Amino acid sequence: MNYIKLLNAAFEKFYFDDRLNPTHISLYMALFQEWNSSRFADEFYVNRRDLMRAAKIGSKSTYHRCVTDLDSWLYLAYFPSNNPYKGSKIKMSIIGTSDEPVTGQYNPILEQLAEQYRPRNEPVLDSHSPINGQALVSTTNNIKQVNTIKRPKGWQAVIDFFIEKGFNADEGKKFFEHYADREWKTSDGKPIRDWRAVAKNWMDRTELFDEENKPNKKEASQIKDNLRTTKNKDYGQPL
């Protein structure tokens, strides 16, 4: 089995299948990762909670609807389990051919898309794989990229990112100093997974704060009118 060729074939089919929505694709990619972790076994068992978390699905009904849709549309074969101690069984379809591995041509664009969908926080091999097994896909480049995303290379990288997003350098410097003092950890003490995502959140909060504290033109005009006084006063009028 070839990881990239299988994903290329899957994305080509996604493109022409109007029945699919983003949740179907997200669940398929989570299942594909489990398939890869089992070294592309003919059949493998899955845990619904783990799949929902990997696919970012929050509803059980949505999960069951999507997995049964993928089954009926021949993306996979789904064998639900009634045993709470045993997961459901999945048999993935080899898209593109009936029995032989996919032989489609190499497509660098689809390869980039496949890399975006593959979960970053999980290794290619996990507890399902043999201890002495060889990784089917090299994780060297992924590890380097994760380390780069967790912490910026330096303050200049942060400032450049803020300027690229339309913010000034001072705001980028504040962000860098704030999280550098905290050793790039969140408020609950967990390591930051993607500093760029945290930086975008920082920018959103900054814009929201500036918007909320922007003086209202009508209120400012009323304050100005209230402070306006006249020189001609009639002190004979009662207060």
Side-chain angles (χ1 to χ4, degrees), residues 230-239:
T230 59
K231 294 183 179 179
N232 299 323
K233 296 181 180 180
D234 185 359
Y235 292 98
Q237 295 293 331
L239 296 177

Side-chain angles (χ1 to χ4, degrees), residues 25-238:
I25 298 176
S26 177
L27 179 58
Y28 181 90
M29 296 311 300
L31 287 165
F32 188 94
Q33 179 66 9
E34 289 293 321
W35 191 26
N36 177 41
S37 298
S38 66
R39 301 185 66 82
F40 296 110
D42 184 53
E43 297 175 346
F44 58 96
Y45 292 90
V46 295
N47 180 278
R48 175 182 56 78
R49 292 183 180 179
D50 292 341
L51 283 177
M52 289 178 62
R53 183 175 182 182
K56 307 306 178 188
I57 297 176
S59 170
K60 292 181 183 179
S61 59
T62 300
Y63 166 81
H64 288 296
R65 176 177 57 81
C66 289
V67 73
T68 52
D69 285 346
L70 292 173
D71 177 271
S72 62
W73 298 336
L74 303 181
Y75 283 91
L76 51 86
Y78 172 56
F79 305 94
S81 172
N82 296 322
N83 188 341
Y85 300 101
K86 187 177 182 180
S88 299
K89 186 168 63 175
I90 299 291
K91 178 180 175 65
M92 301 291 286
S93 300
I94 301 177
I95 300 174
T97 61
S98 57
D99 298 319
E100 299 178 359
V102 178
T103 57
Q105 295 182 352
Y106 174 76
N107 189 327
I109 297 177
L110 291 175
E111 180 181 358
Q112 293 176 3
L113 289 173
E115 186 64 21
Q116 292 176 4
Y117 276 98
R118 193 175 72 79
R120 299 282 184 183
N121 59 342
E122 297 181 5
V124 175
L125 298 177
D126 60 6
S127 58
H128 296 289
S129 308
I131 297 176
N132 297 325
Q134 182 178 359
L136 299 177
V137 179
S138 174
T139 59
T140 303
N141 294 333
N142 293 335
I143 293 174
K144 289 181 179 179
Q145 186 171 4
V146 169
N147 289 339
T148 302
I149 291 176
K150 283 183 177 180
R151 296 190 182 191
K153 294 181 179 180
W155 63 270
Q156 188 61 47
V158 174
I159 290 178
D160 292 343
F161 183 73
F162 270 72
I163 294 176
E164 178 186 345
K165 298 300 180 181
F167 277 73
N168 56 48
D170 291 338
E171 198 63 37
K173 185 178 179 182
K174 291 178 184 177
F175 171 82
F176 179 83
E177 292 176 348
H178 176 83
Y179 284 100
D181 292 342
R182 289 159 177 77
E183 298 182 350
W184 298 97
K185 294 182 180 179
T186 59
S187 58
D188 54 0
K190 296 181 180 179
I192 291 175
R193 293 184 177 181
D194 186 346
W195 72 266
R196 293 184 180 90
V198 178
K200 290 179 181 179
N201 186 43
W202 178 288
M203 297 175 195
D204 292 339
R205 287 184 296 170
T206 301
E207 289 181 340
L208 181 62
F209 178 81
D210 293 342
E211 187 67 25
E212 290 179 347
N213 288 272
K214 185 184 296 184
N216 187 288
K217 292 183 179 180
K218 183 177 181 180
E219 294 179 354
S221 176
Q222 290 178 350
I223 294 174
K224 185 176 180 181
D225 290 339
N226 291 336
L227 295 176
R228 185 179 300 166
T229 59
T230 59
K231 294 183 179 179
N232 299 323
K233 296 181 180 180
D234 185 359
Y235 292 98
Q237 295 293 331

Side-chain angles (χ1 to χ4, degrees), residues 5-15 28 32 75 95:
K5 287 183 178 180
L6 288 171
L7 274 183
N8 282 350
F11 276 107
E12 287 175 2
K13 188 170 183 179
F14 293 164
Y15 183 82
Y28 181 90
F32 188 94
Y75 283 91
I95 300 174

